[in-house]
Amino acid sequence: MSTPSIILQNISVQQYGKSLLQGISLNIESNQHIAITGHSGSGKTILAKAIAQQIFYKGNIEIHFTDQTHLQPKVAMASHSEAWKSLSNISDFYYQQRFNSCDAEDAITVQESLNKVHADKTKIEKLLDTFNIKHRINTPLIQLSNGEQKKLQLIKTLLQEAQVLILDNAFTGLDIEARKALHHIINTKAVQGTTIILITDDKELPECITHIAELKEGQLISFEWKENFIASYQHPSSFSKNIPSTKISFSFNTIIEMKKVQVQYGDKIILQNIDWKVNCGECWLVKGHNGAGKSTLLSLITADNPQAYSNEIYLFDQRRGKGESIWDIKQKIGFVSPELHKYFDTGITTEQAIASGFFDTMGLYKKLNAQQQKAVNDWINCFELTALKNTPLSFLSAGQQRWVLLARALVKQPPLLVLDEPCQGLDEQHTASFIQLIDAIAHQTNTTIIYVSHYTNEIPTCIDKILRLENGIQTIHQNSKTKAA
């Protein structure tokens, strides 16, 4: 079955006086399906948005739809994140809101969100089953995990039955089974007459992809058959210099201890009977499927979940609820997560965002002392962010923003690093560099590391202990070979 063809002629995009795309011309012929790749900030998402007619561009884009299909003659795009409004028509949410059960009353549910699509109920149920979130049908959106929200977004996009389907980092944040399911769906859609455009890397290339378009600094540097691209592709090396001094030591004995911990919202039990002890200097992987309870578990550690007070939890040798403030706890933790990224203030600059790590705030409201300013400069140099030092985060790509937030998590060199899918959205070089950096910190200090990832190749070699969650129930493996899920 023939698919739509797309012609791009001299496409350029400028925002805030900066050139994001420069004269891109590209022909996607019928029955061709492409993946757009390139480093963070190269213009991948901007190009996809131009094709989807979501941003202003100069040049010409022609999409030649076909009348030989039941599919709709339109473009459907699933972005890397999605905004939604509450029942009060408010879209201004905050990070900890997910863990406050009272706020869920003002959030629409999965069912209500899907009802807006006006699609066949049978197709909705099939996709809910495929992505294993049918049991969450009556759950408020605010209580979905990052991976579950990604699944819902994909379902809503797939239900549009569009002739052109654009997926921006669609595999990011999904567990293994969901990624397998998405590969199958994409390949099936291509056979059924949908033109597929993916923003992805070489780890996730469905069979149907025929061509790779590679961008660099807003320019198209190659467009070739997938096989030729893979054969000629050279994996970038990571950096091995400019790492700030990490020769520090911490005197805590027990960093985390949980005894029979349970978290419940209404009738829904998220965590049950969690017994977990993390000693100073240990490196743990927390793993499990989307919605298994990983983010809720971490929220008890990072002082973002009020249910910590109703459980027996010890942090840094002290029982929770014995007079410490949440800021006392956060001061000892370097943290990054997809949710934190989603709600972070993008109006501040790269330098301010990194500096805010000293105060555990979403913006910078205090003046740095000389020692803190030196640390910020050191980490800006380490992460090679000098050119973006004074650039607002809103001007950066999603991958570049995540890179900045990783520097923010490390800047104060805390005794505990909680890294929830830290490499999400990073290009291959940045991922390799970050893993190398975490291994260096683990080998040179007794920093404790709690790490979450669905990809085996994103897990540092220092990780040697695993806590696995399955529907809120734990299993623990000591000194086991890690395998992501």
Side-chain angles (χ1 to χ4, degrees), residues 304-327:
D304 292 314
N305 195 321
Q307 293 200 40
Y309 294 106
S310 60
N311 283 283
E312 188 174 356
I313 299 174
Y314 300 83
L315 298 176
F316 308 103
D317 294 332
Q318 184 175 344
R319 171 79 184 263
R320 280 299 313 268
K322 293 298 182 180
E324 83 289 352
S325 71
I326 63 170
W327 304 110

Side-chain angles (χ1 to χ4, degrees), residues 24-314:
I24 292 181
S25 296
L26 179 66
N27 287 357
I28 305 173
E29 298 178 4
S30 180
N31 296 319
Q32 289 183 350
H33 309 281
I34 75 166
I36 305 174
T37 189
H39 293 313
S40 298
S42 59
K44 304 183 294 294
T45 297
I46 296 297
L47 178 59
K49 286 184 175 181
I51 297 172
Q53 305 294 310
Q54 293 184 2
I55 60 171
F56 177 79
Y57 60 86
K58 292 183 179 179
N60 186 53
I61 296 178
E62 297 179 12
I63 302 178
H64 299 282
F65 296 107
T66 176
D67 57 5
Q68 301 177 2
T69 177
H70 70 284
L71 300 173
Q72 298 298 312
K74 65 178 184 179
V75 179
M77 178 174 173
S79 301
H80 65 273
S81 63
E82 181 183 24
W84 50 273
K85 292 185 178 181
S86 68
L87 294 174
S88 303
N89 202 36
I90 295 173
S91 57
D92 187 16
F93 301 101
Y94 59 93
Y95 168 62
Q96 292 90 347
Q97 194 165 5
R98 174 184 169 190
F99 307 114
N100 293 322
S101 57
C102 60
D103 287 326
E105 298 174 1
D106 192 40
I108 65 173
T109 64
V110 171
Q111 180 72 74
E112 291 166 336
S113 178
L114 288 171
N115 286 343
K116 297 180 179 181
V117 182
H118 302 296
D120 188 298
K121 289 185 178 180
T122 302
K123 292 180 180 179
I124 290 176
E125 289 187 1
K126 183 177 180 180
L127 285 169
L128 288 170
D129 277 333
T130 298
F131 286 110
N132 192 30
I133 57 170
K134 190 174 182 179
H135 63 290
R136 303 287 270 165
I137 191 69
N138 295 314
T139 302
L141 297 191
I142 199 169
Q143 290 185 353
L144 296 180
S145 71
N146 175 64
E148 289 173 327
Q149 291 206 23
K150 173 60 73 71
K151 290 176 179 180
L152 177 60
Q153 182 190 30
L154 287 170
I155 289 171
K156 291 169 66 176
T157 305
L158 293 169
L159 286 170
Q160 295 182 44
E161 298 284 357
Q163 289 192 30
V164 178
L165 179 63
I166 303 177
L167 301 177
D168 185 355
N169 287 305
F171 296 96
T172 301
L174 298 182
D175 55 46
I176 287 178
E177 292 305 314
R179 297 202 304 270
K180 288 180 180 177
L182 185 56
H183 271 272
H184 177 73
I185 289 171
I186 289 171
N187 290 328
T188 301
K189 288 283 186 183
V191 171
Q192 293 175 343
T194 302
T195 293
I196 305 295
I197 300 175
L198 296 183
I199 297 173
T200 187
D201 53 38
D202 65 333
K203 296 195 301 289
E204 301 287 2
L205 291 175
E207 251 181 57
C208 69
I209 296 299
T210 60
H211 290 73
I212 308 292
E214 185 177 8
L215 300 185
K216 183 177 181 180
E217 297 178 354
Q219 297 182 330
L220 180 67
I221 62 173
S222 69
F223 181 67
E224 54 187 327
W225 289 94
K226 177 175 67 175
E227 292 76 12
N228 295 340
F229 176 85
I230 293 174
S232 62
Y233 183 70
Q234 294 184 355
H235 294 272
S237 59
S238 57
F239 62 61
S240 59
K241 60 179 182 178
N242 298 328
I243 298 177
S245 173
T246 55
K247 295 181 180 180
I248 52 179
S249 183
F250 306 105
S251 59
F252 303 103
N253 294 314
T254 301
I255 298 295
I256 303 164
E257 186 169 10
M258 299 184 179
K259 297 183 178 182
K260 303 297 180 185
V261 165
Q262 179 159 313
V263 173
Q264 184 171 350
Y265 297 101
D267 296 331
K268 177 67 174 177
I269 297 176
I270 308 300
L271 298 173
Q272 53 183 316
N273 295 323
I274 301 296
D275 285 301
W276 184 33
K277 185 175 182 179
V278 178
N279 296 316
C280 188
E282 292 182 341
C283 300
W284 285 79
L285 173 70
V286 177
K287 61 186 294 188
H289 59 81
N290 297 134
K294 301 185 299 296
S295 294
T296 300
L297 180 73
L298 299 185
S299 71
L300 297 172
I301 300 168
T302 58
D304 292 314
N305 195 321
Q307 293 200 40
Y309 294 106
S310 60
N311 283 283
E312 188 174 356
I313 299 174
Y314 300 83

Side-chain angles (χ1 to χ4, degrees), residues 330-370:
K330 288 179 176 294
Q331 195 275 331
K332 301 179 182 71
I333 301 174
F335 176 57
V336 71
S337 74
E339 287 86 359
L340 179 70
H341 186 177
K342 181 177 181 179
Y343 295 110
F344 202 83
D345 180 5
T346 58
I348 61 177
T349 67
T350 291
E351 181 180 30
Q352 291 170 332
I354 295 173
S356 71
F358 282 111
F359 312 108
D360 307 295
T361 53
M362 294 284 195
L364 185 61
Y365 310 108
K366 295 182 180 180
K367 187 175 181 179
L368 300 181
N369 60 37

